[in-house]
Amino acid sequence: MTDDEALARAAGLGAPWRGREAEIAEAIAHARRLAGSFPRPADETAEPMPAFAVPMPKGRGA
């Protein structure tokens, strides 16, 4: 079993998709390109985005 076949099977693409291997391969390639287009942080424990914090209004400091 190839990686593509394993991915298709894991996604539930069984008997109804026989004969459509080219479409499955294209979808897998697209998903791989999409996943690779997002930058990965150097530190895997880092948040992908800083937590949102509401700034204090000007003139009110502690």
Side-chain angles (χ1 to χ4, degrees), residues 55-62:
M56 290 291 294
K58 293 188 187 231
R60 293 187 185 189

Side-chain angles (χ1 to χ4, degrees), residues 47 49-57:
E47 287 187 58
M49 169 185 291
F52 181 75
V54 177
M56 290 291 294

